Amino acid sequence: MAQISEAIRDGAEGFFKTQYGTISKMAVLLALVILSIYLFRNTTPQQESSGLGRATSACITVAAFLLGALCSGVAGYVGMWVSVRANVRVSSAARRSAREALQIAVRAGGFSALVVVGMAVIGIAILYATFYVWLGVDSPGSMKVTDLPLLLVGYGFGASFVALFAQLGGGIYTKAADVGADLVGKVEQGIPEDDPRNPAVIADLVGDNVGDCAARGADLFESIAAEIISAMILGGTMAQHCKIEDPSGFILFPLVVHSFDLVVSSIGILSIRGTRDSNVKVPLEDPMTILQKGYSVTIILAVLTFFGSTRWLLYTEQAPSAWLNFSLCGLVGIITAYVFVWITKYYTDYKHEPVRTLALSSSTGHGTNIIAGVSLGLESTAIPVLVISVSIISAFWLGHTSGLVDETGTPTGGLFGTAVATMGMLSTAAYILTMDMFGPIADNAGGIVEMSQQPESVREITDVLDAVGNTTKATTKGFAIGSAALASFLLFSAYMDEVSSFAREPFKQVDIAIPEVFIGGLLGSMLIFLFSAWACAAVGRTAQEVVKEVRRQFIERPGIMVGLRFQLPFTDYKEKPDYGRCVAIVASASLREMIKPGALAIVSPIVVGFLFRVLGHYTGHPLLGAKVVAALLMFATVSGILMALFLNTAGGAWDNAKKFIETGALGGKGSESHKAAITGDTVGDPFKDTVGPSLHVLIKMLATITLVMAPVFL
């Protein structure tokens, strides 16, 4: 077990260093571009009044960008570092007790999750405090505290920049290795999953760590950072319009909510206790039920702390009952998170009808399995969209009717109400990320158990944990898409505020009846489909290289398949597969392939905004560039959310339909139904672990890049 775990750890850490070396070089290059733009851009009236020059503003934005990128990288590294050490402990614990294995996997995931959320909170807190002291905020002739959050947008952009490339590179790696290992190993050679005779098996297990743990850590870090910053901006803007005497409560509220998240999620994680029972055959209570109990504990505590935080920080004499309205906004967000988790679980868990129907379609062939999976994915977009719509409207109107008004008596709390709902949704983010990290750790543990040829009873335990891990990974992705939708809405509002402050004229709405603006919307939707196509093709090309290599090894090294099983250590059997060759192929190909779709995402909004700015200059429409980019952002968000929901749910359902058949249903392993289900799972792999997760990072990155690059469009 230790020998296999060491091979996985070496592969994961080697890839991580190379990948993040590439990302850091691109980040430095982009930082220089941002510096040059900010040195030649216009300044806002707020910056002029506070004496903040172009050079200072440029240095602040670049420093925030680089710090965000660094913290995002550290968050990803922690996720990977923990998972490559926890996997062997879980597989060892499975020999003693199912409950102990579950507890170790959950607590390992929990440690990573708490570090990720803690990094997001402490990074923004340090940046905010540094700027507050350095710029002498709120002293005569200096910047007002309500304008300070706008200086933090670079941090969110840095975090989303790293998260996108981490998700793309890690996603391509993990799914190319998985597809290559499954197609040749399971389908052509008829050997089990994670069998040590498969040359791609170590690459597959490495992929779980770099694709699911490292990338998801960076992804959720970026989600929380973007949401905190946008909520701080909107809180400051609202406090300024309402002339609230002490606006600091409205600005610091998001940091307090996520600090409480660390506490309540820790209690939820610790509520899952293990037993060190030496009898492996003690039946395991459904792990999903145990995880749901922990989630319920976390949610109850989150509601209590949220109400306490709003009363403490959002109470104001101007509207004494406003805090209660905002508490209810948070409750809307918490309910939305719970409903999203439940919806995704319903569509991806084989205990429910959709996945069982999909498994049944496998009994009539490969084609019917694909058709059923696609239709299930398309159908699964409906309820989440309705839930997002209801939560945005409910939160907006609760904020709107809070009693907070500006000088003219116009209600101004609507957008901040939506921001508070987003905070509510992410107020259990650490526990949600724990459930997500649990998946790849359990998957790796199953691989180690299979490769080290443990008794069947041990493999049964890790199989149950692995199937639950697939569902928790899918539910986390559903949760991430929901929070991305709400966070993008906030960032879009923050973008319009920033444009109006640079342009020094109101920028309240975008008219898509204007042809150029409509074209911007079309380009935004096209960007989502083109990005998805390139990411999917990248997995396909890399998987082809893996398939060719695995086939070559089976042909050139016939000793690999001699005997049904062989003894470990690796030196004891006739011919050993060259695991390192597959790891090297996948690593180099995924790093090469992640550049193209990533560059498309960064360059597109900047180029479109600049071109239409030039067109607007010659046609007498000075805000045309900003309007076209706003339409691009709006349409890309809508298309991206729907596409990500479809891809994530379809991929998760295909995977668990295969797992359902492997439990002995419809003929079990090796049957024709099983082969058809493997085809579906192979198609769904890049959907759920590469393209889908990359899309919701892309949506937020487009929003943060437009915020940072707003001067280019004016």
Side-chain angles (χ1 to χ4, degrees):
M1 281 182 175
Q3 194 178 355
I4 298 159
S5 175
E6 198 173 320
I8 295 167
R9 183 160 68 228
D10 289 347
E13 289 179 348
F15 175 73
F16 190 92
K17 283 174 187 168
T18 313
Q19 182 191 28
Y20 276 74
T22 307
I23 293 172
S24 59
K25 287 171 191 166
M26 292 190 290
V28 169
L29 187 66
L30 189 56
L32 293 173
V33 172
I34 294 169
L35 183 68
S36 58
I37 288 169
Y38 270 64
L39 284 173
F40 297 102
R41 71 171 198 166
N42 297 325
T43 52
T44 64
Q46 293 93 329
Q47 288 170 346
E48 285 176 7
S49 63
S50 62
L52 195 66
R54 288 179 182 177
T56 312
S57 176
C59 291
I60 283 172
T61 306
V62 169
F65 170 79
L66 291 173
L67 182 65
L70 176 68
C71 290
S72 186
V74 171
Y77 181 74
V78 167
M80 185 272 298
W81 189 91
V82 171
S83 67
V84 295
R85 285 159 177 79
N87 52 17
V88 70
R89 298 179 189 196
V90 175
S91 50
S92 176
R95 295 183 301 168
R96 295 187 295 274
S97 156
R99 189 75 185 242
E100 188 190 344
L102 172 67
Q103 182 192 4
I104 292 172
V106 169
R107 290 194 177 175
F111 176 77
S112 306
L114 293 171
V115 171
V116 168
V117 177
M119 286 283 297
V121 173
I122 206 165
I124 293 172
I126 288 170
L127 205 59
Y128 180 89
T130 304
F131 291 162
Y132 192 96
V133 174
W134 180 42
L135 299 172
V137 171
D138 272 352
S139 56
S142 65
M143 178 175 273
K144 291 178 183 174
V145 70
T146 49
D147 297 324
L148 184 56
L150 277 168
L151 299 179
L152 305 177
V153 292
Y155 186 89
F157 181 34
S160 56
F161 173 81
V162 170
L164 180 70
F165 281 101
Q167 189 67 70
L168 269 174
I172 292 167
Y173 187 111
T174 182
K175 287 305 111 183
D178 197 0
V179 169
D182 282 359
L183 284 178
V184 184
K186 283 200 230 172
V187 179
E188 293 180 10
Q189 298 293 332
I191 57 178
E193 188 168 358
D194 300 328
D195 191 290
R197 290 168 290 182
N198 193 328
V201 69
I202 293 289
D204 183 11
L205 295 171
V206 168
D208 291 333
N209 295 291
V210 297
D212 286 332
C213 290
R216 199 78 72 254
D219 172 7
L220 210 70
F221 172 87
E222 178 266 340
S223 286
I224 294 165
E227 178 265 325
I228 289 175
I229 292 165
S230 57
M232 289 173 87
I233 291 169
L234 292 171
T237 306
M238 187 191 72
Q240 194 173 11
H241 288 161
C242 298
K243 299 284 188 276
I244 291 169
E245 280 184 28
D246 182 13
S248 57
F250 287 85
I251 294 168
L252 296 176
F253 180 64
L255 291 172
V256 173
V257 168
H258 287 292
S259 300
F260 275 123
D261 173 20
L262 295 169
V263 178
V264 299
S265 295
S266 298
I267 295 168
I269 292 160
L270 291 171
S271 70
I272 297 168
R273 296 177 178 275
T275 54
R276 215 176 157 84
D277 193 323
S278 59
N279 183 7
V280 177
K281 293 184 172 62
V282 171
L284 172 67
E285 184 186 348
D286 179 15
M288 198 69 209
T289 308
I290 298 168
L291 291 171
Q292 288 280 21
K293 282 178 186 171
Y295 186 44
S296 301
V297 169
T298 308
I299 278 189
I300 291 164
L301 292 172
V303 170
L304 296 174
T305 55
F306 208 95
F307 272 76
S309 304
T310 47
R311 177 66 182 83
W312 171 32
L313 293 166
L314 303 185
Y315 179 81
T316 172
E317 294 293 337
Q318 286 166 260
S321 64
W323 73 271
L324 186 58
N325 281 45
F326 291 128
S327 297
L328 294 172
C329 291
L331 189 60
V332 166
I334 292 169
I335 292 168
T336 303
Y338 190 83
V339 171
F340 252 89
V341 168
W342 187 87
I343 291 166
T344 318
K345 180 175 172 290
Y346 173 73
Y347 277 109
T348 56
D349 193 337
Y350 64 59
K351 293 183 187 65
H352 301 292
E353 189 186 349
V355 173
R356 294 197 172 211
T357 307
L358 176 56
L360 190 62
S361 70
S362 304
S363 60
T364 51
H366 300 248
T368 48
N369 172 280
I370 301 298
I371 293 165
V374 170
S375 64
L376 184 151
L378 293 170
E379 182 193 312
S380 70
T381 60
I383 302 174
V385 167
L386 294 174
V387 171
I388 291 170
S389 306
V390 169
S391 62
I392 288 176
I393 289 172
S394 305
F396 186 88
W397 280 103
L398 280 167
H400 193 71
T401 56
S402 63
L404 287 169
V405 293
D406 62 12
E407 292 168 312
T408 61
T410 309
T412 57
L415 278 176
F416 188 68
T418 314
V420 174
T422 313
M423 282 180 251
M425 190 167 185
L426 284 167
S427 65
T428 54
Y431 191 88
I432 295 284
L433 185 57
T434 298
M435 293 206 296
D436 186 55
M437 295 282 193
F438 164 82
I441 291 170
D443 193 354
N444 256 218
I448 292 170
V449 164
E450 179 69 36
M451 286 191 75
S452 59
Q453 289 151 46
Q454 300 300 313
E456 191 62 32
S457 56
V458 180
R459 180 70 211 195
E460 281 170 13
I461 287 171
T462 54
D463 277 349
V464 170
L465 295 180
D466 187 14
V468 170
N470 277 334
T471 306
T472 59
K473 283 194 288 184
T475 53
T476 312
K477 287 166 193 161
F479 169 84
I481 294 164
S483 62
L486 292 174
S488 298
F489 178 69
L490 301 184
L491 289 164
F492 182 73
S493 306
Y495 165 73
M496 294 183 82
D497 280 348
E498 178 143 343
V499 168
S500 62
S501 67
F502 274 114
R504 307 187 188 204
E505 60 178 276
F507 186 58
K508 299 284 186 191
Q509 55 197 36
V510 180
D511 185 0
I512 61 166
I514 298 168
E516 294 90 342
V517 177
F518 183 71
I519 288 166
L522 279 178
L523 292 172
S525 294
M526 178 212 73
L527 171 62
I528 295 297
F529 283 83
L530 187 59
F531 176 88
S532 302
W534 285 1
C536 224
V539 176
R541 281 192 295 270
T542 311
Q544 284 171 22
E545 292 184 42
V546 178
V547 167
K548 287 173 186 171
E549 173 59 24
V550 175
R551 281 176 179 162
R552 181 191 69 77
Q553 288 199 33
F554 277 128
I555 292 166
E556 293 180 8
R557 300 182 179 205
I560 290 174
M561 292 296 286
V562 170
L564 289 174
R565 285 293 206 214
F566 27 63
Q567 297 299 311
L568 288 178
F570 290 141
T571 49
D572 286 356
Y573 54 85
K574 190 164 182 182
E575 240 178 318
K576 173 186 170 183
D578 185 356
Y579 301 115
R581 179 81 188 121
C582 284
V583 170
I585 286 172
V586 184
S588 61
S590 57
L591 289 173
R592 185 176 66 247
E593 296 283 1
M594 75 178 184
I595 305 293
K596 191 169 138 187
L600 174 75
I602 293 165
V603 171
S604 298
I606 299 171
V607 170
V608 168
F610 183 74
L611 288 176
F612 279 96
R613 171 198 170 175
V614 173
L615 181 64
H617 177 73
Y618 286 108
T619 56
H621 295 91
L623 287 180
L624 186 64
K627 287 177 180 175
V628 169
V629 169
L632 181 146
L633 192 55
M634 208 186 304
F635 280 62
T637 301
V638 172
S639 305
I641 288 164
L642 291 169
M643 177 74 95
L645 280 168
F646 160 65
L647 295 173
N648 283 337
T649 313
W654 267 317
D655 195 349
N656 271 347
K658 178 199 72 176
K659 288 274 191 298
F660 177 59
I661 292 170
E662 286 174 353
T663 62
L666 303 169
K669 289 183 181 179
S671 64
E672 290 304 312
S673 296
H674 187 230
K675 288 177 182 174
I678 290 170
T679 302
D681 180 33
T682 307
V683 172
D685 272 341
F687 283 17
K688 68 180 169 63
D689 286 326
T690 308
V691 189
S694 297
L695 277 176
H696 58 75
V697 180
L698 170 68
I699 292 164
K700 287 170 290 183
M701 200 195 75
L702 288 173
T704 51
I705 198 171
T706 50
L707 257 179
V708 173
M709 298 292 183
V712 177
F713 316 139
L714 297 167

